[in-house]
């Protein structure tokens, strides 16, 4: 198949060593992210990370605990205690879902005082997972740019971030089980890092490199690999949007499991507002997207050197 990169069957067992940090909040999108993530990366080791902000308690629970102003200190202590217990129960639900999906999973509860996206990024720095997995409620345009947790993690994480949009259609979920992986290729260092990450994380999948022809330049070829040249699907306000929607349409036609794109790493405010190819793909693709920062390539090499 033109542009397809077959992978070695000898490396398939490596997938069981993949370590995943899941950002889990108990929502439908978080539950779907675990289900789809397990289809994409079976047999992984997962931390089900839940970040909770005290005081975490429902109105009904607050009413039960409140005994009047005279006992306000007891009330605060009770809210703290019950909130921590509720956070652990919520994370345990995520672990149950992950284990049922075939992952080896464990609870990881962290207290935070806001900024869940940045806190999850810091947690990834500490744990050093191979992938950060997070669900997205499918917000596009300004709503997504202005503050979703998934956007924040993608912008600042130094590790590959797998974002699973919600909701996915039945056909898109089925594609995640055995479909090929579309890798966006433009010859850049970011694209090379994306290809390396896809090869390492999805050894049992067929990788298809795709380049969007915008009539301005041709990306350098990949040594020993073919690249599918795609005509731009429409002309949007930004080149990034054009590339993103062209890759998304190719993924739909090929029944791809996901799209893998590289990024330049930590985005500036300008890049965040205008939208890079990675961010545009994240907002407009109706299937999972793996965003790989350019730094991921050097991090992977460093870990390999340390293990040898």
């Amino acid at each position: 198949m033109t542009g397809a990169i077959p992978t070695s069957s000898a490396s398939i067992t490596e997938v069981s060593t993949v370590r995943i940090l899941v950002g889990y909040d108990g929502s439908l999108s978080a539950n779907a992210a675990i289900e789809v993530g397990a289809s994409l990366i079976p047999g992984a080791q997962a931390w089900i990370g839940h970040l909770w902000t005290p005081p975490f308690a429902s109105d009904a629970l607050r009413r039960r605990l409140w005994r009047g102003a005279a006992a306000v200190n007891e009330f605060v202590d009770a809210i703290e205690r019950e909130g921590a217990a509720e956070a652990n129960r919520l994370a345990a639900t995520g672990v149950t879902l992950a284990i049922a999906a075939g992952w080896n999973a464990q609870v990881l509860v962290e207290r935070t005082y806001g900024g869940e996206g940045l806190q999850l990024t810091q947690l990834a720095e500490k744990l050093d997972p191979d992938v950060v997995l997070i669900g997205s409620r499918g917000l596009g345009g300004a709503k997504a740019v202005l503050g979703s947790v998934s956007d924040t993690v993608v912008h600042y994480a130094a590790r590959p971030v797998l974002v699973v949009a919600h909701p996915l259609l039945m056909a898109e979920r089925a594609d995640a089980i055995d479909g090929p992986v579309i890798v966006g290729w433009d010859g850049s260092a970011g694209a090379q890092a994306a290809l390396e990450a896809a090869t390492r994380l999805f050894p049992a999948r067929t990788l298809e490199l795709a380049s969007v022809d915008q009539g301005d330049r041709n990306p350098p070829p990949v040594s020993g690999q073919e690249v599918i040249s795609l005509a731009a699907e429409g002309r949007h306000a930004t080149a990034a949007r054009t590339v993103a929607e062209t890759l998304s349409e190719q993924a739909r036609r090929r029944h791809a499991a996901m799209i893998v794109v590289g990024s330049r790493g930590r985005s500036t405010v300008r890049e965040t507002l205008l939208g890079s190819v990675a961010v545009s793909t994240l907002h407009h693709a109706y299937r999972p997207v793996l965003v790989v920062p350019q730094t991921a390539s050097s991090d992977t090499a460093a870990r390999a050197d340390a293990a040898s």
Side-chain angles (χ1 to χ4, degrees), residues 174-276:
D175 291 342
I177 296 174
D178 57 7
V181 173
I182 302 295
V183 181
W185 181 258
D186 63 3
S188 66
Q192 183 62 46
L195 175 57
E196 291 174 4
T199 302
R200 175 171 52 89
L201 294 172
F202 311 107
R205 303 273 180 165
T206 296
L207 306 184
E208 298 182 6
L209 274 62
S211 171
V212 179
D213 180 10
Q214 297 181 275
D216 52 357
R217 63 186 180 88
N218 294 316
V222 188
S223 177
Q225 300 165 0
E226 294 186 59
V227 180
I228 302 171
S229 181
L230 304 174
E233 298 276 349
R235 296 288 176 175
H236 299 281
T238 65
R241 173 80 178 268
T242 298
V243 172
E245 295 209 353
T246 303
L247 290 175
S248 298
E249 178 58 22
Q250 175 68 4
R252 186 193 66 79
R253 287 193 294 257
R254 297 293 304 128
H255 297 284
M258 62 186 305
I259 302 172
V260 180
V261 290
S263 76
R264 289 182 291 273
R266 293 170 172 81
S267 300
T268 64
V269 172
R270 178 177 175 81
E271 289 171 332
T272 300
L273 292 176
L274 295 180
S276 66

Side-chain angles (χ1 to χ4, degrees), residues 42-248:
Q45 168 67 46
W47 292 282
I48 307 302
H50 177 65
L51 306 176
W52 72 287
T53 304
F56 180 87
S58 65
D59 288 340
L61 182 58
R62 288 170 185 264
R63 287 194 295 270
R64 284 199 60 191
L65 296 174
W66 178 248
R67 297 180 181 178
V72 66
N73 289 335
E74 293 180 11
F75 174 72
V76 171
D77 291 341
I79 286 289
E80 180 85 2
R81 181 183 65 251
E82 296 297 333
E86 184 65 23
N88 277 280
R89 285 194 293 271
L90 186 63
T93 299
V95 168
T96 299
L97 293 173
I99 292 174
W103 280 351
N104 180 12
Q106 63 186 58
V107 168
L108 180 60
V109 174
E110 293 279 329
R111 183 187 313 214
T112 182
Y113 291 93
E116 288 88 350
L118 288 177
Q119 184 81 11
L120 188 61
T121 299
Q122 292 172 353
L123 191 57
E125 292 288 334
K126 181 171 67 175
L127 295 174
D128 193 26
D130 297 298
V131 181
V132 179
L133 171 65
I134 192 165
S136 171
R137 292 176 179 83
L139 296 178
K143 288 184 178 180
V145 170
L146 293 177
S148 74
V149 173
S150 57
D151 267 342
T152 301
V153 176
V154 166
H155 286 146
Y156 293 104
R159 281 137 186 87
V161 180
L162 177 57
V163 180
V164 177
H166 179 77
L168 292 179
L169 302 181
M170 290 176 60
E172 293 157 351
R173 285 174 177 262
D175 291 342
I177 296 174
D178 57 7
V181 173
I182 302 295
V183 181
W185 181 258
D186 63 3
S188 66
Q192 183 62 46
L195 175 57
E196 291 174 4
T199 302
R200 175 171 52 89
L201 294 172
F202 311 107
R205 303 273 180 165
T206 296
L207 306 184
E208 298 182 6
L209 274 62
S211 171
V212 179
D213 180 10
Q214 297 181 275
D216 52 357
R217 63 186 180 88
N218 294 316
V222 188
S223 177
Q225 300 165 0
E226 294 186 59
V227 180
I228 302 171
S229 181
L230 304 174
E233 298 276 349
R235 296 288 176 175
H236 299 281
T238 65
R241 173 80 178 268
T242 298
V243 172
E245 295 209 353
T246 303
L247 290 175
S248 298

